[in-house]
Amino acid sequence: MTFLEALSAGFIMVAQWESIFFLAIGVTIGVVAGAIPGMSATMAVALTLPFTFALQPIFGILLLLGVYKGGIFGGSIPAILIKTPGTPASSATALDGYPMAEQGRAGEALSMSLYASCIADLISNLALIVFAAWLASFALNFGPPEMFTLIVFSLTIIAGVSGDSLVKGIVAASLGLLLATVGLDLIAGSERLTFGSVDMRGGLNFIAVLIGLFALPEIIAYMRKSASADHRVRGMGYSKLKMVDFRRSLKSIFRGSAIGVFLGAIPGIGAAPSAFLSYSEARRASPNRDNFGKGEVEGVAAAEAGNNGVAGATLIPLLSLGIPGDVITAIIIGAFMVHNLTPGPLLFVNNADLVYALFIGLIASSFLLLIIGSVAIRAFRYIADVPSNLLFPGVLVLCIYGVYAVNNSIFDVAVMLVMGVVGYIMLILRFPAAPFLIGFILGPMLENNFRQALLMSRGDLSIFARGPITILFLCMTVISVVLIIRSTVKAARLKRELGAYGEKSAPQGPKT
Amino acid sequence: MLSRRDEFLTGLCVMALGALVLWWIIPTYITTPRRVPILALSPAFWPRIIAWTILGCGLILVLRAALAPAPPDAVADDLSVSRPEGLRLLALGAILIGIFFALPVVGMVWVCMIAYALMVLLSGGKNLGWGMIIAILLPLLLYLFFTKVAGVAIPQGQIVRLP
């Protein structure tokens, strides 16, 4: 299928009312979920996933991508109005957004946030269209050794999603990798860690594991505390975004979009570092740098552009290499798997029409976000008022139905419940859940490619350095690991110095 | 951030988990063929590497907790569970276990209705009226969606069956 044929076939796929309908529904769900304090875009995507089973692949995946896009923007609404970022990446938006809301300029901040999000999202989607096909055609030459070294490099993304402790991130990823080995061994055909259970011979269901990990711990944490936070919602104010402010922020929006695209295309970095980098670059370059942190509209624009700039770019490694760019795209892999589609270079060969349909749908999602986002901004007061004690039990019911529907299996519900408890223990002991999921997804790919490569070479390990591609990935892995160790040591030293300073400056009171 | 003591204990637990997997679970629950031509192709090869990694990380956590300066009390997370919190967690645990065992007997719709209502009551019973309405409607709507639209056979149980 030539490029033009694929593009026209993709256009035909999208040019159905259902495509736009499901995309709009997805964006709406995402914006609403992102705007509800306590919900997150990740949880929204995970909970929507089971509802896509009944849909055609294109509709189901567009629905999830809509949730993803909407969720990222939705997180900025509570960040501005109640200083409670809906997503970690929205924290940068709160730096200037909330002071603006305090000054009665919430409407201005929210409008800027929406416009910056839509522009950055559009740029990110265009980058996806330009780079994904090119990268996929390059990746078509990859054999098992290349894939293995690529996945080893991708595993360094764990550092980016490990939060405070890299060691705990590695433990979580190892647990995910271990859980991924459950089932029948592909080469020997023998049972691995099935504990004699027939249900476990096919391995653990991906969706049960991910919903258990990402949705249930929040429910358990809420039920334990059982007290809804007192959110003070700021009014919208009467100020409107002025054209002159928008125009002077455009440079920061484009810069933030470029940062988002670059960081988003590298697996594991995610939206939060991109938003903060974009914000700090805008502050460095802006003539109004002294206003940053006190209610500068350009700060909101930069943070949101950096935040949304990653949304399309994280799909570049997903679609072209089959490697998730962040946690949400890791969940979206599930949607592909449910519909018997395998993200990666072959997707561009076997399902080129679907890929181009997704591209066109993503462009449409930027415009839908503009429309739905402007309505959501006005409706936020009602969205934020959903009582948590009605919301979280509803989430549990959704989880039960959704997980059961994957395989019509009550065993999967049990897996979800157990993973929920595991996820909650990880939450309170500060083990990040994202590396667990990434390990669980990449584990089988890593092991299979390693073993296939060794079968090809009859046990000769030098196959992993057989050509420039494997050597490039190995070098990138080494560089990445060195950088991670350096930054971890630096952070530990800083923490130690701060601790020593804290001990010196702490008042020496009597011990009680 | 956990206190030094909690971090130390967490490290020990991680080490214990690694050791358990390495020396009990892998030998007992992974069947390896008698002759494996290449060591790396053995079904136990990857799990062993992973278990060693867990063990090593546990050791690092223990050493870090023992050697690094303790975080100030104001910064360290408190892991203690108050009595009401403990009771709520126990009740939630009972609900979750109950859900699993009741699903095949009572049916998903009824189990979800009861679980929803119990959770609303457990979280203080605010908005009880709305809670009861949603407890009835949400599982029914989901049942209709999955059964009639998605074609999924939702477990009906043995007591009251829905059309």
Side-chain angles (χ1 to χ4, degrees):
Chain A
M1 197 180 266
T2 63
F3 168 75
L4 279 178
E5 283 171 346
L7 190 67
S8 53
F11 187 76
I12 291 166
M13 262 185 165
V14 176
Q16 307 175 57
W17 70 267
E18 292 104 319
S19 297
I20 303 300
F21 173 74
F22 284 114
L23 197 57
I25 294 273
V27 174
T28 310
I29 293 171
V31 172
V32 171
I36 295 174
M39 288 283 283
S40 64
T42 312
M43 203 200 274
V45 174
L47 289 175
T48 312
L49 180 55
F51 291 90
T52 65
F53 304 156
L55 305 176
Q56 285 179 32
I58 178 67
F59 302 147
I61 296 167
L62 282 177
L63 177 71
L64 287 181
L65 290 175
V67 178
Y68 177 28
K69 302 270 178 182
I72 289 181
F73 164 70
S76 68
I77 303 177
I80 291 170
L81 291 180
I82 53 175
K83 210 182 178 183
T84 306
T87 56
S90 306
S91 312
T93 310
L95 293 176
D96 276 293
Y98 188 68
M100 284 180 76
E102 283 185 312
Q103 295 158 17
R105 295 161 61 206
E108 197 181 331
L110 286 166
S111 302
M112 177 53 93
S113 155
L114 180 63
Y115 299 144
S117 296
C118 292
I119 293 172
D121 189 46
L122 188 65
I123 291 172
S124 194
N125 291 336
L126 292 174
L128 166 71
I129 296 169
V130 172
F131 293 115
W134 171 78
L135 192 59
S137 63
F138 172 66
L140 272 175
N141 303 319
F142 287 10
E146 285 78 16
M147 279 311 288
F148 174 75
T149 48
L150 169 66
I151 296 164
V152 170
F153 169 61
S154 304
L155 278 174
T156 60
I157 68 178
I158 285 162
V161 289
S162 287
D164 293 339
S165 170
L166 177 64
V167 182
K168 287 187 174 177
I170 296 172
V171 172
S174 303
L175 290 174
L177 286 167
L178 189 68
L179 215 64
T181 63
V182 171
L184 287 180
D185 178 66
L186 282 181
I187 291 180
S190 54
E191 288 189 20
R192 287 202 297 190
L193 310 177
T194 59
F195 302 95
S197 162
V198 180
D199 290 310
M200 287 171 78
R201 279 191 188 161
L204 297 179
N205 183 281
F206 164 77
I207 291 160
V209 172
L210 90 89
I211 290 184
L213 266 183
F214 285 95
L216 277 193
E218 300 296 331
I219 299 170
I220 300 174
Y222 169 75
M223 293 305 290
R224 177 182 164 185
K225 298 285 177 198
S226 208
S228 54
D230 179 25
H231 302 300
R232 231 155 37 98
V233 183
R234 295 276 168 190
M236 291 284 287
Y238 294 100
S239 68
K240 285 190 175 163
L241 180 65
K242 295 178 198 79
M243 195 59 192
V244 65
D245 284 335
F246 177 69
R247 216 175 290 150
R248 78 178 165 83
S249 302
L250 271 177
K251 208 169 160 187
S252 290
I253 294 175
F254 287 123
R255 191 193 302 109
S257 308
I259 290 171
V261 167
F262 182 71
L263 295 184
I266 303 170
I269 294 188
S274 166
F276 279 103
L277 183 62
S278 167
Y279 181 81
S280 67
E281 279 302 303
R283 185 168 59 179
R284 201 176 54 78
S286 172
N288 298 334
R289 66 179 70 94
D290 293 339
N291 267 349
F292 274 66
K294 298 172 191 161
E296 171 57 49
V297 74
E298 196 180 344
V300 174
E304 276 303 297
N307 180 4
N308 283 266
V310 301
T314 48
L315 297 170
I316 296 174
L318 174 78
L319 291 176
S320 54
L321 303 171
I323 305 275
D326 61 4
V327 186
I328 302 184
T329 45
I331 299 171
I332 292 174
I333 280 190
F336 281 90
M337 284 167 20
V338 162
H339 293 290
N340 291 326
L341 297 165
T342 311
L346 285 176
L347 191 71
F348 284 78
V349 178
N350 300 332
N351 302 91
D353 50 350
L354 178 89
V355 173
Y356 284 93
L358 288 179
F359 288 164
I360 298 165
L362 283 170
I363 298 283
S365 73
S366 303
F367 295 100
L368 284 171
L369 182 62
L370 188 66
I371 300 163
I372 294 165
S374 42
V375 176
I377 287 170
R378 281 160 190 80
F380 174 74
R381 186 169 287 277
Y382 305 103
I383 297 170
D385 276 350
V386 176
S388 299
N389 78 319
L390 300 185
L391 179 74
F392 284 109
V395 172
L396 178 70
V397 172
L398 278 173
C399 292
I400 295 170
Y401 272 86
V403 167
Y404 176 83
V406 184
N407 287 330
N408 289 9
S409 163
I410 291 179
F411 177 76
D412 285 350
V413 178
V415 170
M416 176 196 73
L417 297 175
V418 171
M419 286 314 301
V421 175
V422 171
Y424 181 67
I425 294 170
M426 286 171 65
L427 185 77
I428 55 173
L429 295 179
R430 297 283 176 266
F431 283 91
F436 188 109
L437 185 68
I438 287 166
F440 187 72
I441 292 169
L442 292 182
M445 290 163 73
L446 183 77
E447 187 180 7
N448 292 342
N449 282 298
F450 177 76
R451 293 166 113 191
Q452 278 176 22
L454 283 183
L455 277 174
M456 280 163 62
S457 69
R458 296 183 183 171
D460 184 3
L461 285 170
S462 65
I463 194 168
F464 296 114
R466 73 172 178 177
I469 298 171
T470 51
I471 292 170
L472 173 75
F473 286 137
L474 288 175
C475 290
M476 281 163 68
T477 308
V478 171
I479 293 169
S480 181
V481 168
V482 168
L483 288 176
I484 290 163
I485 292 173
R486 224 179 93 181
S487 64
T488 309
V489 169
K490 212 185 248 179
R493 197 178 296 154
L494 189 71
K495 211 187 265 179
R496 209 164 34 235
E497 282 169 11
L498 284 174
Y501 173 75
E503 273 172 26
K504 269 185 205 164
S505 60
Q508 301 293 314
K511 280 183 183 171
T512 51
Chain B
M1 192 184 282
L2 301 181
S3 68
R4 174 185 274 182
R5 180 180 157 275
D6 292 335
E7 198 72 38
F8 188 82
L9 289 175
T10 305
L12 281 183
C13 289
V14 171
M15 281 183 75
L17 179 71
L20 189 78
V21 173
L22 200 56
W23 288 300
W24 181 57
I25 292 180
I26 292 175
T28 316
Y29 293 105
I30 295 187
T31 320
T32 44
R34 281 209 184 136
R35 256 190 83 247
V36 183
I38 303 165
L39 178 73
L41 296 181
S42 161
F45 180 76
W46 268 122
R48 263 201 201 107
I49 288 181
I50 296 164
W52 276 113
T53 310
I54 294 173
L55 195 66
C57 287
L59 185 66
I60 294 172
L61 283 175
V62 167
L63 289 176
R64 203 174 59 179
L67 301 175
D73 287 348
V75 177
D77 294 331
D78 184 13
L79 287 187
S80 61
V81 181
S82 68
R83 197 179 148 76
E85 282 177 3
L87 287 174
R88 271 200 297 271
L89 281 178
L90 275 179
L92 182 64
I95 292 174
L96 295 182
I97 293 169
I99 286 172
F100 174 68
F101 286 106
L103 271 179
V105 184
V106 183
M108 191 174 278
V109 177
W110 310 112
V111 165
C112 287
M113 281 181 187
I114 296 165
Y116 188 103
L118 286 176
M119 284 176 73
V120 172
L121 290 172
L122 193 62
S123 56
K126 281 177 284 179
N127 310 298
L128 196 60
W130 278 109
M132 292 308 127
I133 293 169
I134 299 171
I136 294 166
L137 285 183
L138 182 67
L140 274 178
L141 289 174
L142 288 170
Y143 168 78
L144 285 175
F145 173 80
F146 280 108
T147 311
K148 309 294 176 195
V149 181
V152 175
I154 295 292
Q156 292 265 24
Q158 297 154 14
I159 302 170
V160 182
R161 298 180 68 85
L162 289 166

